[in-house]
Amino acid sequence: MSDIIQLLPDSVANQIAAGEVIQRPASVIKELVENAIDAGAKRIDVVVVEAGRTSIQVIDDGCGMSETDARLAFERHATSKIRKADDLFALSTMGFRGEALASIAAVAQVKLTTRNADNEIGTAINIAGSKLLKQEPVSCPVGSNFLVENIFYNVPARRKFLKSNATELNNILTAFERITLVYPEVAFSLHNNDAELVNLRAGNLRQRIVDVFGKRLNQDLLPLQVDTAMCKIYGFVGKPEAAKKKGAHQFFFVNGRFMKHPYFHKAVMNAFERLVPMGMQVPYFVYFDINPSDIDVNIHPTKTEIKFENEQPIWQILTAAVNDAIGKFCEIPSIDFDTEGKPDIPLFDPDIAAPPQPKYNTDYNPFSSNNSQRQNHVPDNWENLYDNLDDIKPAPEQQSLFDDVNVDTEIADRSPAHYQYKGQYIMTAVKSGLMIIDQHRADVRIRYEQYLKQLKNRNAHIQQVLFPDIVQFPASYAVILDKILPELENMGFELTAMGQFSYSVNGVPNGLEGLDSKALLTDMVSEAVENGSPSIDSIQQSLALTMARAAAIPVGQILSNIEMEAIVNKLFACSNVNYTPDGKAVLCILPQREIEQLMG
């Protein structure tokens, strides 16, 4: 039998490796930007066309490469970061495997222009599908300029499964955001199709967080700082009032790398357990400086999973640090020691109140065999209780309180008078019994259908505001904002772009004058971002539901009979009277027969 095992060609092996390292255009940007940081760059510019599908360009002012290094950098496992196996346990750079450039060159057309400070002439290299096409000297500044075109041009299946440009651009912004938050001393810019999306100047860490996520976040950040022999933890956590249901910015970084760690996330949230409502998320930006020998980042090519040797002690240190930050910087009531002119409060005198004297029966004995104190609870002729059991007919199947209500049947005999119970429920008599309506949920259903109709018909009424508010969104929301802004205008918001994803709120939908327009807009956009890049219908439904929740009648508001009648009439005119858009029950019916049974 002839030999059948053979070595794969380098081009095939590189494509296989690229499948793990280069998954989408965002992976290319992540690898190239991390290399630029390792090269000591102080400014990094990224330019993409069609969300990286057509081209990706990364320009840096780092140390650059010599002619030999520029050619060798595209070989597999060629790296300047490590020399021996022991170096894996003392990593101080972002990259170290030497696979990124080889993987990129295997699935795209790459042009590199680079020069280091020791040479007056730079080098230009063209590579496509791992094949060197051209290498020549050129005049260029110190640093590196990578141009990656037609990603996955030789792997059609991978290119076919790329998502839409909006989704891929959102992934690029996410990856770019994670890197910029670690290196505030480096200036970054990002352009897509000649439009500037991000422009971050060099500064300190707090300024970088504010530049990325908006000035509004600045007032909600609490400094976090602890330095131990095991690790150093620093950064910021949000105040309890900054908690959100969705869209909270939560980041962990270890030695400059973004990390996902549910265990440490729980440590942070435990500190806020009694300070924020259940289900709310608090923003945090936590940075760990740990001895590289105590962690292992060489688990997955994306390097977002990291193993810790001392995970449990670090968890305890993190919990203590967050608790200390909350206790030190959160406002607490102060004690007023100025008692001049205040009424005297008498001190407690323990002699005034005598301790209670218990009384008990000394003759009582629970184990006494005195039969005179025992009673027989079994009645005489108990057998007669089970006579005529065969004549008992089973009770008819009862209707559940939350069965779907037939509107036409129930409102045929509805009472015009209503009763409000504890400022939350509207109670009214209907044909089959007593109907109980949750006034807040009913108003959510009513307003949801109104707002959705306005979005469909584009006929919202705008109420101008006297003092416009400024709302700012992070750059990572850029993709979804392009879809949402026209829908917000259709809903009745008048927004004027102020640059850098800031908008002036000059008008709000009629009926929302008393609400916090900035918080409402932030919640609406965050809800849409949380759902990814949905269709226009999904965006409209998400916006309508968020605004309906904010504008609906709150629990506890007292209503007149006329107001309750209006809610009931509008509810019964809705397409679905039984449930809110997110599936919560709006009403239930207590059947007449159950009321009669309760009354005996």
Side-chain angles (χ1 to χ4, degrees):
M1 182 177 179
S2 60
D3 299 331
I4 59 175
I5 296 178
Q6 58 184 355
L7 291 173
L8 289 174
D10 288 342
S11 58
V12 178
N14 287 340
Q15 287 188 15
I16 294 174
E20 294 183 353
V21 180
I22 307 302
Q23 301 173 350
R24 48 175 42 97
S27 305
V28 176
I29 292 177
K30 172 183 177 295
E31 299 294 344
L32 294 180
V33 173
E34 286 181 350
N35 283 345
I37 291 172
D38 288 340
K42 294 302 179 183
R43 177 166 188 85
I44 301 174
D45 299 309
V46 180
V47 181
V48 298
V49 177
E50 294 185 353
R53 193 186 299 266
T54 299
S55 72
I56 300 168
Q57 189 172 19
V58 177
I59 307 169
D60 69 75
D61 60 355
C63 64
M65 290 180 278
S66 65
E67 179 181 0
T68 303
D69 286 344
R71 176 64 189 91
L72 192 59
F74 290 96
E75 297 296 329
R76 289 190 64 195
H77 308 302
T79 178
S80 62
K81 316 296 176 60
I82 61 175
R83 289 290 182 268
K84 54 186 182 299
D86 291 343
D87 293 342
L88 289 172
F89 304 102
L91 292 171
S92 59
T93 57
M94 298 294 289
F96 57 89
R97 287 196 179 94
E99 292 183 326
L101 292 182
S103 298
I104 294 171
V107 295
Q109 298 167 344
V110 182
K111 180 179 180 180
L112 167 63
T113 304
T114 183
R115 179 171 75 88
N116 59 19
D118 296 333
N119 297 321
E120 296 182 357
I121 300 297
T123 302
I125 293 179
N126 286 28
I127 296 180
S130 298
K131 296 181 180 180
L132 178 63
L133 302 181
K134 185 171 61 173
Q135 180 172 349
E136 59 184 359
V138 295
S139 176
C140 64
V142 174
S144 299
N145 184 337
F146 283 89
L147 178 61
V148 181
E149 297 179 308
N150 300 324
I151 185 172
F152 299 131
Y153 79 100
N154 55 348
V155 192
R158 294 292 300 276
R159 187 174 178 86
K160 182 177 66 174
F161 284 104
L162 287 177
K163 304 297 183 181
S164 65
N165 285 352
T167 301
E168 295 300 339
L169 182 58
N170 190 56
N171 291 326
I172 290 173
L173 286 166
T174 300
F176 196 72
E177 186 178 83
R178 293 172 179 175
I179 298 175
T180 59
L181 289 173
V182 183
Y183 298 96
E185 68 279 6
V186 180
F188 292 92
S189 71
L190 173 64
H191 292 75
N192 178 55
N193 296 341
D194 297 328
E196 184 180 81
L197 301 182
V198 180
N199 191 350
L200 303 173
R201 64 187 185 279
N204 57 39
L205 180 57
R206 189 182 191 113
Q207 186 62 51
R208 175 55 54 87
I209 294 174
V210 171
D211 288 344
V212 173
F213 296 111
K215 296 180 180 179
R216 183 182 178 188
L217 185 62
N218 188 34
Q219 60 189 2
D220 295 328
L221 295 179
L222 301 176
L224 183 73
Q225 182 77 37
V226 62
D227 195 352
T228 67
M230 186 175 298
C231 67
K232 177 183 178 183
I233 302 176
Y234 63 97
F236 300 91
V237 294
K239 294 180 181 178
E241 54 264 32
K244 298 180 180 180
K245 285 188 176 180
K246 293 183 178 180
H249 308 297
Q250 299 175 332
F251 295 88
F252 284 123
F253 300 96
V254 179
N255 294 352
R257 300 179 188 279
F258 171 76
M259 172 189 68
K260 296 178 181 178
H261 207 295
Y263 188 52
F264 288 166
H265 169 77
K266 186 177 180 181
V268 176
M269 298 312 300
N270 279 350
F272 291 90
E273 186 174 6
R274 298 186 179 181
L275 300 177
V276 299
M278 183 73 69
M280 302 290 280
Q281 297 292 322
V282 178
Y284 58 76
F285 306 84
V286 182
Y287 298 77
F288 298 83
D289 282 348
I290 301 177
N291 189 337
S293 62
D294 293 336
I295 61 175
D296 185 4
V297 301
N298 193 24
I299 297 174
H300 192 272
T302 59
K303 307 183 188 75
T304 58
E305 299 176 15
I306 298 178
K307 294 294 184 183
F308 291 78
E309 182 179 351
N310 303 306
E311 190 174 70
Q312 181 63 29
I314 294 175
W315 190 93
Q316 296 173 346
I317 295 172
L318 176 60
T319 301
V322 176
N323 281 322
D324 182 64
I326 296 172
K328 185 182 297 184
F329 297 98
C330 281
E331 296 180 0
I332 59 175
S334 60
I335 301 175
D336 186 6
F337 293 98
D338 184 10
T339 59
E340 184 178 355
K342 304 293 178 66
D344 291 334
I345 301 176
L347 296 175
F348 173 71
D349 187 353
D351 296 332
I352 296 178
Q357 300 295 328
K359 297 180 181 179
Y360 51 89
N361 183 5
T362 58
D363 297 329
Y364 175 72
N365 184 359
F367 301 102
S368 175
S369 59
N370 187 357
N371 294 330
S372 63
Q373 297 181 3
R374 301 177 64 181
Q375 297 180 359
N376 185 7
H377 296 282
V378 180
D380 296 333
N381 302 323
W382 60 269
E383 297 89 345
N384 297 334
L385 296 174
Y386 294 92
D387 292 343
N388 303 322
L389 282 179
D390 295 337
D391 298 335
I392 299 177
K393 297 181 179 179
E397 184 177 353
Q398 297 184 359
Q399 179 184 7
S400 170
L401 292 178
F402 294 95
D403 284 347
D404 289 354
V405 175
N406 188 319
V407 177
D408 296 334
T409 303
E410 296 298 340
I411 66 174
D413 193 20
R414 179 172 62 83
S415 170
H418 311 283
Y419 171 73
Q420 189 180 27
Y421 177 67
K422 291 190 174 181
Q424 183 173 0
Y425 301 104
I426 299 173
M427 308 179 73
T428 184
V430 293
K431 184 176 181 179
S432 61
L434 180 65
M435 179 178 289
I436 305 172
I437 302 173
D438 187 308
Q439 67 183 39
H440 174 74
R441 294 180 181 179
D443 205 26
V444 168
R445 165 53 70 177
I446 294 168
R447 291 178 181 271
Y448 169 78
E449 297 199 2
Q450 289 176 349
Y451 294 142
L452 197 58
K453 185 177 180 180
Q454 289 178 6
L455 286 170
K456 300 290 186 184
N457 298 334
R458 305 176 185 272
N459 60 353
H461 300 286
I462 300 176
Q463 177 67 43
Q464 298 293 327
V465 297
L466 186 59
F467 301 102
D469 286 325
I470 302 297
V471 60
Q472 185 172 12
F473 301 104
S476 57
Y477 287 9
V479 177
I480 202 70
L481 279 174
D482 291 339
K483 290 187 176 181
I484 289 180
L485 287 178
E487 301 303 325
L488 291 175
E489 294 175 357
N490 294 336
M491 185 172 279
F493 288 97
E494 184 177 313
L495 303 175
T496 302
M498 307 291 290
Q500 291 297 316
F501 305 103
S502 295
Y503 297 87
S504 173
V505 185
N506 301 318
V508 297
N510 192 23
L512 298 184
E513 295 82 0
L515 296 178
D516 186 349
S517 58
K518 291 196 298 184
L520 177 58
L521 284 167
T522 302
D523 291 343
M524 294 169 74
V525 176
S526 298
E527 180 80 18
V529 171
E530 189 75 15
N531 296 332
S533 298
S535 62
I536 295 299
D537 289 341
S538 299
I539 290 177
Q540 291 176 346
Q541 294 168 6
S542 177
L543 296 180
L545 178 57
T546 306
M547 199 161 75
R549 287 173 179 162
I553 296 173
V555 175
Q557 180 171 324
I558 305 302
L559 304 176
S560 65
N561 191 75
I562 296 177
E563 292 171 327
M564 289 188 283
E565 175 71 10
I567 289 177
V568 173
N569 289 336
K570 291 179 181 178
L571 176 64
F572 285 140
C574 292
S575 60
N576 187 339
V577 303
N578 295 287
Y579 301 100
T580 60
D582 51 350
K584 297 179 180 178
V586 173
L587 56 84
C588 66
I589 294 180
L590 184 61
Q592 179 70 24
R593 59 177 174 272
E594 291 191 14
I595 298 176
E596 294 172 353
Q597 290 175 1
L598 291 172
M599 298 301 296

